[in-house]
Structures are given as structure tokens and as C-alpha cells.
Amino acid sequence: MVGDLCDGRAGWPTELGRARLWYEPHLDRLSDDAPARRADLVQLEQIAAGYRSRLYSEADERQDKPRISSFQTTRRGGPHVHLVRSRKTTESLRDAAPFSQRSGGDRSSRCGSQSVCAAACRGGRRRPAPAHGQPGPALRRPRRRGDDDGPQHAQQGRIPQADVLVEGKKILAVGPNLAAGNAAEIDATGRIVMPGFVDTHHHQFETVLRSFLADGILIGDPGSGPSGATTYFEFILLTFAPQYRPQDVYINELFAGLSQLDDGVTTVHDVSQIHYTPQHSDAAIQALFDTGRRAAFGYFEGAGIPNVFPVTPSYKYPTDASRIKSQFFSSTDQLVTMIMGGEVYLQDPKTGTFVYPQSWKIGRQLGLQIAAHILSPFGIRPILDTLAANPPGSPLAIGPDNLFIHMTGMSDAGWKAVHDNGAQVSIAFPIEMNMRHGTPPILRMQSMSTAQNPFEPSLSVDVECTLTADFFTQMRSAMNLQRMLVNQMTLDSPNTVPGQNLPNPLDWGLPQSANTVSGPFPYWPPLPNGVPQPLTTRDVLRFATINGAKALRLDGKTGSLTPGKEADILILDATRINVVPLNQVPGAVVSLMDRTNVETVIVAGKVRKWKGQLLDVDLDQLRQQLEASRDYIFSKAGIPQNPFSSQ
């Protein structure tokens, strides 16, 4: 509209003033709340004074992203304040304590620490935010007749028409009709507003190997055909990983992080077993900082050392942890933190000496969380049993500072120690199902969980050489696997008397002579006692957000839209063809959405993705660097590049 009314000679924001003068006489006819609409126009004109041109209006008409080089914001004095404004339904993605109400000029209203909010609304137009990590202005949608601002769902953490007020990197308030003052506004009409996803286990160094192992399993097995011939341990860890240079580590880490930012994953635990030299470690850390998202740098070994490859003079794991902590992680007020990798199966074959007593000791001396892969195929079950027998407080006791990945195939004693001592568990549902790690242990965790002491996993993508790092896939896989098990256990329940008429061993289905139950549906038994209820979409959203933040000890900063936490926020487009009409918020996010619905991503108050496009990123250049890295690594590994290989 501005472009149609003005010729550009008047300058900015005078052009917008002329448009306002033209528009004001029509407001009584066009709006149910003309005074509020006039105030919006005045506010927009004031905000526009901070921009160098009318690009944002033109971009709104085109619905595309302005050129980053010419689209910047400057504001004077104080931190940036902005508001994500939703004007219809807000629903929590987890039942939470009610939001307290603001009164007077108080800008510090709080909601329950476990709240995870989503705002869903319909209609209206969006205004673009400026690039370079700072949100810009957006018109507040005018109030319509019939809008309801009541707090009737506050007790469950669901607040109609909720807004999210952010100052600098912190969330100041979440609630209906927040007073924005002179804050820039992002109109989330037709969108779902929720916390960013948290990935608690991701081997980001393997980005150049995407899809190489799409058919492969964990360890070689000739009887499994092609899947057992090209495998993770032999090819990814022992063949490809040793070929990486520090520059390969950097581009792989950076590209993986940006790819997940595009998908709405605002926090990651990078588990890259690529630390052959300090230069490799420094390159990985620098890439995590340069990505601009929240990350926990996992300092693990160089793959294959010492079990297969000997220790070299340049190999500094685990003792280099002290230097790394001092050089990069002396402050806790930064996006990137550190976790100590402490794999329990690393062992010098000549001396029989295990590495983990040293790595765990160093990690605990430095005050770091200690992470480890725990899964039966690598012979870890008896090692975990040994750890479980250590008394609490001893140097090698399982404790609340442990993050255990997978936990497949572990004993009752191992599980009891993990549960009783407060260790965290990360489950990579799709990978564990695909690569023969063992059945994801969700039912085991549910069987040990109580309302007073919940025992739930976080979610992780693991490796992109086999499956996608998309977090919508992680949530759906978690829900589907658990429900498949629970549903089949229910259907089998009339036939599971020990020693009698067991389920068909071919597929766990009903036996040939199946028992029936009374009622109109003889093969529809009720959920048996002791079998967990099916997971819901709200459950897996919790796994993907606040549970991940807890697993990385970051729940004081992220994981929910809670005043006082940092603003890691997603705006998901619920008007797209794969979602509309919106009927249920958690169901829409988990069951229907994908990365194309991730419209805006904010990390610690900075906009990193806007209107579907990553900001400040030259993807063409990065793609060329990634492909060059791929070509080098395949060549050095002696593996031919064959895009139609049957492996």
C-alpha cells in the first residue's frame, strides 16, 4: 500500500505518514476498534523511524525476506524489547502451575517453571522483522467482537490469546494482552508459538556422510545382507572419522547446526567422537559458537582410540579437557557450554586399562556433566552393573551428573541405579529401531515413573549418516514406537498366560487359536494392569523441549516459555496446506508439521530464521565447502562415491 501511495521522494518514514493520513478516514468502516487501529498506525510510524527504508513494507506485500545487506535496525538506549503477539487461543503443551497476574507497572510476572506454552490463532497479516538477529515491528491485530481474553485455562497452563514479551535475551512475561509499551511486535496470528526443540545427542561431525549408511546397522553382520556389510562401527567410526582434518570438523559442525536451526532445534548436545588433536576440538567448538544456537559441546574421544588405534603424541583426550574448559567455557553466561564424554567401553587392548575412570574423574573435578553411550551391543551391560554397585558419592558412582545415551539392553540393577541416582536418559528412537541398538527403553522408563518422581527421556537424533535430524520425526517416532508396543501388548493380553497360548513368535501378533474377551468386540481387550498408557502428543512435546533442557542441565535457561528464561522461541505456521484447519495444537505440531512449518526461530532473543529463511547465512558457499570436505574424506578413506550404491 505504501508503495502505491508514495513515489519515494518524500523519504522514510514520511512515506508511511502519508499512508496513515490516507488510511485513517476509512478505519471506522474497516475495523471494529478504530481507536486501537489508529494507535497501531501511530506506533508503526514511530517504530519505522529506526529503519533506513520502506523495505519491510514491500517485503510484507511480497511475503518474502528482505536482503540482509540492506535491512538493518538501529535503536538507541537500552536492550531491545519485542513482543510476540497472539490474539486467539493459547494452549500449554504441558500442564503447569498457573501464570501469576501482572499488576500495575510490574514487568516480572512469572508462570510455573515447567510451563511450555503454544499460541494458536487465526487470520491477520504478519509484518517482517529485520535481519541480523533483531526482531522488528509488527502490527498488533485489532480486537474483534467476540475475542475472549479470560484466564479460564490458566490452571492448566493454557492461556487464551497469550503474548510473549521479551527484553534482550530474556522472557519478561507470558500472558494475554500484555502491555508492550514501545516494544516492536511480531504478529503471530495464524501461528503456533512454542519453545525451541532440544536435541540431547547428535554426532554433528558426520554431516558429509548423510544417507551413506541409510541401509546399515551398528556392527558388521554378514547374515544381514547389505545392511550388515556397510556398518556404522567399521565404516563411520573406523574408516571415515580418522580422515577428518580440523577444517572438515568445522564445516560439518557448522552446517549440521544451521540445518537444525532451520528445523527449530535451538539447543543441541554435540557428541562428536572426532577429537584426535586439540585442533580438531577447537574447530568443533568454534563452529558451535559460530552457529549461533545454544549448544553443549561434548568432549569425547577420537573414534577408534585406544580400542583399535594406538594413542599418538598429538592425542590429548581426556586430559585436554582442562585447557578447553579454561579457554572456552570460563563463563556460564554464554550459548555454548561443555559436557565431558566418558565412554565406559574405551580400553587399551595391551594393558586392559579402561579410560573412563580418568575421564569421569577429570569431568567431576571440572564440575562438568558426564555423558556416555550405554547399549548392550558393545558389551556395556556388565560395565554398567559394576558402576551400579558403587556406593553413592564414590568417584565412579552413577549420579545426577550423568547423561546416559540409549540405555538399551541394560539389566534391572543398572536401571535401578540410573533411576535412583537421578541420571538422565536420552533416547534416539528412530536410530535405535533402525540400527539394532535394541528396543528403545520407553516402557522400562514408564514402568519406573511416578507422579511424584517422573522418569522420562529426552529425545536425540544421533546420526545423520542413517536418518534425518528433523525433530518432528523424532517426536512421531517416539510416540509411534511406544504406542505400537502398548497396543500390541493390549491385544495380546488374553493370550499371555505364562506357558499357555503365547503370542505368535513370527510377529508378536495373535496366536492361531486366540482367546477372546466378552463384549461386542471379542478381540478388543482393555488395557491390562501394569501396561503404560499410550503416549500422547503432549507427552512427546514435553520430551522434545523441557525434558531435553533438564537432561543438559539447561532448564533454568530454556525448554519452556517462562518469564526469566532466555527467549528460545519457535513460530510455526499453522495456515499451511499440511495443517489447516487447526483443531488441536499439540496434535498439529507432532502429527502434521515438518520443517516447512518452522517460520521463525529465535535464540536468546535473536531472530535466526525469519519467514522461512535463515538469516546471515550464505548457504551456497557453505554447501560448496561441505561438498569439498565430503570429496576429500571419501578420497582419503578409499571409499568410492556411488550415489546409487546398494552398500
Side-chain angles (χ1 to χ4, degrees):
M1 183 182 73
V2 174
D4 294 337
L5 294 174
C6 306
D7 57 13
R9 289 175 293 183
W12 188 259
T14 303
E15 294 174 329
L16 187 61
R18 290 183 177 180
R20 176 177 60 80
L21 292 174
W22 176 89
Y23 193 47
E24 279 183 332
H26 302 280
L27 288 177
D28 290 326
R29 173 175 57 84
L30 296 174
S31 175
D32 294 330
D33 194 349
R37 189 61 168 168
R38 288 190 181 91
D40 285 336
L41 289 171
V42 171
Q43 181 188 28
L44 179 60
E45 189 175 358
Q46 292 171 344
I47 293 172
Y51 295 84
R52 60 180 64 178
S53 74
R54 73 175 191 236
L55 275 174
Y56 81 88
S57 291
E58 295 172 349
D60 184 52
E61 293 176 7
R62 295 194 309 266
Q63 292 292 292
D64 61 9
K65 182 177 74 68
R67 292 178 59 86
I68 293 174
S69 61
S70 61
F71 192 55
Q72 302 183 41
T73 293
T74 56
R75 297 183 186 277
R76 298 178 177 86
H80 294 266
V81 182
H82 58 282
L83 182 79
V84 179
R85 177 80 73 181
S86 165
R87 303 299 299 166
K88 280 220 170 177
T89 305
T90 295
E91 183 174 359
S92 168
L93 297 185
R94 176 174 183 177
D95 290 346
F99 297 111
S100 61
Q101 300 297 311
R102 288 201 309 123
S103 60
D106 178 19
R107 295 169 64 85
S108 60
S109 71
R110 298 184 180 276
C111 61
S113 62
Q114 304 304 320
S115 64
V116 182
C117 300
C121 37
R122 302 177 177 84
R125 293 188 68 183
R126 297 164 293 146
R127 302 282 171 161
H132 291 287
Q134 295 298 344
L139 285 181
R140 174 172 44 183
R141 187 167 76 85
R143 182 176 176 83
R144 308 285 187 184
R145 292 190 183 100
D147 277 358
D148 181 5
D149 296 331
Q152 60 265 36
H153 295 299
Q155 292 294 331
Q156 290 78 36
R158 298 190 296 272
I159 303 179
Q161 304 179 13
D163 305 328
V164 181
L165 182 63
V166 176
E167 182 173 28
K169 63 182 181 181
K170 294 291 187 69
I171 297 172
L172 291 185
V174 180
N177 297 311
L178 296 177
N182 62 350
E185 293 187 21
I186 299 175
D187 188 347
T189 302
R191 273 75 192 158
I192 294 171
V193 181
M194 65 169 285
F197 299 124
V198 181
D199 177 2
T200 56
H201 159 227
H202 187 175
H203 299 256
Q204 291 194 162
F205 82 97
E206 298 172 9
T207 308
V208 294
L209 305 176
R210 282 174 169 172
S211 77
F212 172 80
L213 204 72
D215 299 327
I217 55 176
L218 189 63
I219 303 170
D221 175 19
S224 293
S227 297
T230 305
T231 54
Y232 185 80
F233 180 68
E234 289 82 2
F235 277 77
I236 305 302
L237 294 185
L238 301 186
T239 303
F240 284 117
Q243 314 309 326
Y244 279 64
R245 304 162 296 179
Q247 59 263 43
D248 299 310
V249 176
Y250 179 85
I251 187 60
N252 277 261
E253 295 273 359
L254 180 64
F255 207 91
L258 293 173
S259 176
Q260 276 203 310
L261 262 181
D262 183 66
D263 189 57
V265 183
T266 56
T267 303
V268 71
H269 173 208
D270 173 42
V271 183
S272 288
Q273 296 145 314
I274 198 66
H275 301 287
Y276 293 106
T277 69
Q279 291 73 34
H280 286 76
S281 302
D282 292 357
I285 295 167
Q286 190 60 56
L288 294 177
F289 277 100
D290 291 350
T291 302
R293 70 166 172 167
R294 203 173 304 280
F297 163 70
Y299 182 45
F300 284 72
E301 77 282 2
I305 300 176
N307 296 55
V308 178
F309 307 129
V311 174
T312 64
S314 60
Y315 185 71
K316 302 300 181 183
Y317 174 87
T319 57
D320 199 34
S322 298
R323 176 196 68 87
I324 292 171
K325 174 76 159 49
S326 174
Q327 181 174 340
F328 294 101
F329 304 103
S330 59
S331 171
T332 58
D333 187 24
Q334 58 187 38
L335 284 178
V336 186
T337 56
M338 182 177 178
I339 289 176
M340 187 70 190
E343 302 287 33
V344 299
Y345 62 89
L346 299 181
Q347 184 181 28
D348 188 324
K350 294 182 179 180
T351 65
T353 302
F354 282 96
V355 177
Y356 74 87
Q358 184 184 18
S359 60
W360 283 40
K361 178 181 179 180
I362 292 173
R364 284 177 167 160
Q365 288 176 339
L366 295 174
L368 300 175
Q369 193 174 8
I370 299 170
H373 293 83
I374 304 293
L375 63 163
S376 60
F378 286 106
I380 296 174
R381 178 174 176 143
I383 301 174
L384 186 68
D385 288 345
T386 299
L387 291 170
N390 292 329
S394 61
L396 295 178
I398 295 171
D401 60 348
N402 284 123
L403 169 60
F404 292 145
I405 299 162
H406 301 308
M407 279 295 295
T408 53
M410 295 300 109
S411 70
D412 291 346
W415 271 107
K416 186 177 188 304
V418 170
H419 171 269
D420 292 352
N421 292 295
Q424 296 287 335
V425 176
S426 172
I427 299 182
F429 283 86
I431 289 294
E432 290 158 10
M433 292 188 287
N434 195 283
M435 296 180 69
R436 203 180 293 174
H437 290 59
T439 300
I442 180 62
L443 297 189
R444 168 78 76 157
M445 296 191 73
Q446 288 184 289
S447 71
M448 305 176 77
S449 182
T450 65
Q452 296 74 25
N453 185 21
F455 190 41
E456 295 183 335
S458 60
L459 302 182
S460 59
V461 305
D462 203 345
V463 293
E464 291 188 75
C465 59
T466 300
L467 284 168
T468 177
D470 165 63
F471 236 62
F472 299 97
T473 298
Q474 310 310 313
M475 292 188 292
R476 282 192 279 269
S477 296
M479 185 172 172
N480 291 344
L481 179 276
Q482 190 269 359
R483 292 172 72 101
M484 183 278 290
L485 292 174
V486 166
N487 290 338
Q488 192 60 50
M489 290 167 69
T490 301
L491 294 173
D492 285 341
S493 60
N495 308 288
T496 53
V497 177
Q500 300 180 29
N501 206 23
L502 294 175
N504 190 335
L506 178 65
D507 59 2
W508 289 10
L510 297 181
Q512 292 301 309
S513 57
N515 295 329
T516 59
V517 296
S518 60
F521 301 101
Y523 295 99
W524 186 256
L527 186 79
N529 292 331
V531 175
Q533 293 182 352
L535 287 178
T536 67
T537 52
R538 191 179 296 270
D539 291 330
V540 295
L541 276 167
R542 186 169 64 252
F543 296 176
T545 52
I546 188 63
N547 283 17
K550 288 179 180 178
L552 302 181
R553 302 201 291 191
L554 293 173
D555 50 311
K557 289 188 175 183
T558 190
S560 63
L561 303 186
T562 301
K565 291 191 179 185
E566 297 187 11
D568 295 353
I569 300 173
L570 307 184
I571 302 179
L572 308 178
D573 188 352
T575 70
R576 292 183 68 89
I577 194 170
N578 63 323
V579 175
V580 71
L582 179 62
N583 293 308
Q584 202 246 15
V585 170
V589 175
V590 174
S591 299
L592 300 177
M593 287 191 172
D594 54 45
R595 75 169 58 229
T596 65
N597 298 97
V598 181
E599 184 178 79
T600 296
V601 178
I602 301 172
V603 179
K606 293 185 178 181
V607 176
R608 299 306 322 284
K609 182 179 182 180
W610 177 252
K611 284 192 173 179
Q613 298 295 320
L614 289 173
L615 302 183
D616 297 324
V617 173
D618 187 342
L619 285 180
D620 288 337
Q621 183 182 27
L622 294 178
R623 187 182 300 111
Q624 292 174 15
Q625 294 176 24
L626 188 72
E627 290 172 345
S629 175
R630 185 267 318 272
D631 294 344
Y632 171 84
I633 290 169
F634 271 75
S635 175
K636 289 290 290 183
I639 303 296
Q641 294 186 49
N642 180 359
F644 296 100
S645 170
S646 62
Q647 299 189 344

